[in-house]
Amino acid sequence: MDATIYHNPRCVTSRNALAKLREAGVEPTVIKYLDAGWTREQLTELFDAAGVTPGQAARKREKLYKELNLAEASDEQLLDAMVEHPVLVERPFVVTDAGARLARPVDKIDELLG
């Protein structure tokens, strides 16, 4: 199975998701999105595939989210902020041939491994 995880190694949930994939016998492509960054097109496609909106995929507990007053932002404004500040994207996202999921909780990965 081909899989990709958009990963932040400093995040416990992201590390647990990576471990869960490996325990299932899947060695995913690991993209450290904080280093790689995002394009607007990537985010739009990823969110569409995962069935989430930019608002649902925003990391609301992130200090920068509050500093930029994004609570009332439109989806378009959130996408712009996420491209400029990748840390604003919730993690981890996992993509396989079966689809894409925001792996929060980590058990959401099961929907892709089934």
Side-chain angles (χ1 to χ4, degrees):
M1 168 185 287
D2 287 333
T4 300
I5 182 170
Y6 293 90
H7 180 58
N8 178 348
R10 295 183 61 199
C11 172
V12 171
T13 303
S14 195
R15 289 194 309 265
N16 289 342
L18 181 57
K20 185 173 186 76
L21 288 167
R22 289 177 171 158
E23 287 167 10
V26 177
E27 185 54 46
T29 299
V30 177
I31 297 177
K32 295 179 182 177
Y33 70 92
L34 292 177
D35 297 333
W38 298 103
T39 67
R40 188 180 188 85
E41 182 179 11
Q42 283 176 313
L43 289 175
T44 301
E45 289 176 6
L46 182 62
F47 297 165
D48 286 348
V52 298
T53 65
Q56 292 168 321
R59 188 159 176 76
K60 295 174 181 71
R61 293 178 307 196
E62 185 62 43
K63 180 180 169 187
L64 189 58
Y65 182 87
K66 293 177 183 86
E67 288 175 4
L68 295 175
N69 296 315
L70 295 174
E72 301 298 321
S74 69
D75 284 352
E76 297 301 313
Q77 291 167 323
L78 283 171
L79 284 169
D80 289 341
M82 290 169 165
V83 169
E84 188 172 344
H85 307 283
V87 71
L88 292 170
V89 178
E90 192 60 90
R91 67 224 177 208
F93 273 90
V94 176
V95 180
T96 71
D97 297 335
R101 296 290 182 276
L102 172 56
R104 284 189 165 270
V106 172
D107 291 342
K108 288 268 192 186
I109 294 172
D110 294 340
E111 298 169 11
L112 301 173
L113 298 175

